[in-house]
Amino acid sequence: MKIPAETDFGSRLRSPAVASRVGLWLGVCFGLCFVTGLVSHYAQAGSQPVPFPTSPAWGYRVTQGVHVLAGTAAVPLLLVKLWSVYPRLFRLPARRPSRALLLDLAEKGSIAVLVSAAVFQLAGGLANSTQWYPWAFSFRSTHYAMAWVAVGALLVHVAVKLPVIRETLAGDINDAERDRVSATEPGALSRRGLVRTTLGASVVAVLATAGATVPFLRRVSVLGVTTGDGPGGVPINRTAAEAGVDPAATGAEFRLTVVHGDREVQLSREELLAMPQHTEELPIACVEGWSASGSWTGVRVRDLLALVDAPPDSDIRVSSLQTRFAFGTSRLWGNFVEDERTLLALALAGEPLSLDHGFPCRIIAPNRPGVRQTKWVDRLEVL
């Protein structure tokens, strides 16, 4: 099979003018993904020099929703961007002085890293948003590490191409001055039409999935995997059976253990229900990008710490009855414990928690990632 040459691609649509404009929007999406991804990573970090804030309660819901939607919007942009510059892949290095040749190879190498990292991030992110994990490695740590690789390669690429980017963005989109010599054939669309169609495809992709986190868009979000179905209007990511929770352990013999040093109390669910109950409207917001608000009722966590004479701003370790998957335990920082909206929830939407929602009790706190809203809680330990 003959390897194509750069001159085999004659469409005028494959031009720096199109690549720069699509690349500009792609850069905006990548920037949003990177910043909101850092927020999400920090919110889940085991060590936080500056405590992650508890307000606004919807903060993580917004940042993670933006993260996933920006990644979704980036997919059509990346495909068209790669299509527009694809012929460059087959450009043979001319016979130049060795320094110029090395620079050319270095540029191609940085582009290869950028393309590989971008494809990996977007493909992995889409798989995560559908809760499909066909790999054995940790998605969170790998996605985080590759984000730095992608952003670093993107900055190098922008720095190298900045003169071309500035010139083409400042000029007319139909200006052919920087086109390849062989790019003379008209396309099925005008250049402006191609850019607008690409942006339109990104908007459609966002609308098709945004209902997972924006309730009023759920009627049009045909590809929203999780759209608010579930007991109390809150979807269930992982069932009790999947998490390895023994239903017998949640029955009459269940006791919540609260520990502070040598002080320890054990409470049945009936005893928890006898304590002052409080109701808070708080969202569950997951790393997959979906979120839903719920009306949660239960005992303030700081009231439970008072039973063992612990300071209300103590850090605590929350343990669960789940036996499979990560996040069976989590650390609840002192500012979350002290916040009166942080509950050991016993009910959702006025009904006792379902087993799959964490019966007999679960943590619900404002502005906290869903994976840290531990279900099937059986122990709170002051650290």
Side-chain angles (χ1 to χ4, degrees):
M1 185 177 69
K2 177 187 175 185
I3 299 176
E6 185 182 15
T7 53
D8 292 337
F9 302 91
S11 174
R12 291 188 65 246
L13 296 180
R14 299 180 191 266
S15 73
V18 170
S20 296
R21 285 163 173 81
V22 174
L24 175 63
W25 287 103
L26 183 61
V28 170
C29 290
F30 267 55
L32 286 172
C33 283
F34 183 69
V35 172
T36 52
L38 292 183
V39 172
S40 179
H41 192 80
Y42 190 78
Q44 300 178 55
S47 175
Q48 296 180 346
V50 178
F52 196 75
T54 62
S55 293
W58 42 262
Y60 186 78
R61 180 182 199 179
V62 171
T63 58
Q64 193 59 19
V66 169
H67 181 79
V68 173
L69 293 180
T72 302
V75 174
L77 294 166
L78 179 63
L79 292 175
V80 174
K81 168 75 172 175
L82 294 178
W83 179 85
S84 66
V85 299
Y86 180 65
R88 297 286 188 184
L89 178 65
F90 302 100
R91 184 185 62 185
L92 296 177
R95 292 184 177 180
R96 306 170 181 172
S98 58
R99 182 172 181 274
L101 180 61
L102 288 175
L103 288 175
D104 185 61
L105 293 175
E107 180 192 355
K108 285 187 175 180
S110 68
I111 292 174
V113 172
L114 173 58
V115 172
S116 301
V119 171
F120 179 86
Q121 288 297 87
L122 294 184
L126 287 177
N128 177 66
S129 67
T130 60
Q131 301 176 27
W132 180 52
Y133 306 102
W135 49 73
F137 54 78
S138 166
F139 169 76
R140 180 190 161 213
S141 57
T142 307
H143 197 64
Y144 176 70
M146 289 303 294
W148 287 98
V149 174
V151 166
L154 177 62
L155 292 176
V156 171
H157 179 64
V158 170
V160 171
K161 292 294 185 181
L162 189 57
V164 176
I165 294 172
R166 293 177 61 182
E167 184 177 333
T168 53
L169 290 180
D172 187 89
I173 193 171
N174 291 309
D175 189 344
E177 184 178 350
R178 284 196 166 272
D179 286 3
R180 290 175 295 108
V181 175
S182 59
T184 57
E185 300 172 6
L189 294 171
S190 67
R191 289 181 176 180
R192 191 167 280 108
L194 175 59
V195 173
R196 288 173 177 170
T197 301
T198 305
L199 294 177
S202 292
V203 171
V204 170
V206 168
L207 290 176
T209 54
T213 190
V214 185
F216 71 87
L217 290 177
R218 284 174 181 164
R219 288 182 179 275
V220 299
S221 293
V222 295
L223 299 180
V225 177
T226 307
T227 55
D229 295 331
V234 178
I236 294 169
N237 247 18
R238 181 167 295 132
T239 66
E242 291 169 335
V245 175
D246 180 3
T250 67
E253 301 300 319
F254 169 81
R255 295 292 184 274
L256 172 75
T257 301
V258 185
V259 180
H260 175 217
D262 58 356
R263 291 186 60 84
E264 176 178 312
V265 298
Q266 293 192 336
L267 302 161
S268 67
R269 194 169 188 278
E270 288 68 27
E271 290 171 322
L272 290 169
L273 287 168
M275 294 181 66
Q277 302 292 299
H278 303 274
T279 298
E280 301 289 347
E281 185 77 16
L282 293 172
I284 289 281
C286 284
V287 293
E288 297 91 355
W290 70 262
S291 60
S293 287
S295 180
W296 308 90
T297 300
V299 182
R300 286 174 176 157
V301 172
R302 68 183 189 183
D303 290 347
L304 292 167
L305 295 199
L307 299 177
V308 291
D309 296 329
D313 60 348
S314 302
D315 293 351
I316 61 174
R317 180 184 294 113
V318 182
S319 301
S320 168
L321 294 170
Q322 80 174 68
T323 58
R324 303 193 192 111
F325 301 106
F327 307 110
T329 64
S330 69
R331 182 166 185 154
L332 192 61
W333 301 98
N335 59 325
F336 282 89
V337 174
E338 189 175 28
D339 195 304
E340 64 180 15
R341 296 168 296 178
T342 300
L343 303 177
L344 185 74
L346 303 169
L348 171 61
E351 299 292 333
L353 288 176
S354 67
L355 180 61
D356 290 336
H357 261 322
F359 182 88
C361 51
R362 66 171 299 165
I363 290 293
I364 183 74
N367 199 29
R368 184 170 160 89
V371 292
R372 300 294 189 185
Q373 309 279 37
T374 310
K375 300 194 285 188
W376 311 290
V377 173
D378 70 339
R379 183 180 177 90
L380 303 176
E381 182 180 3
V382 176
L383 298 175

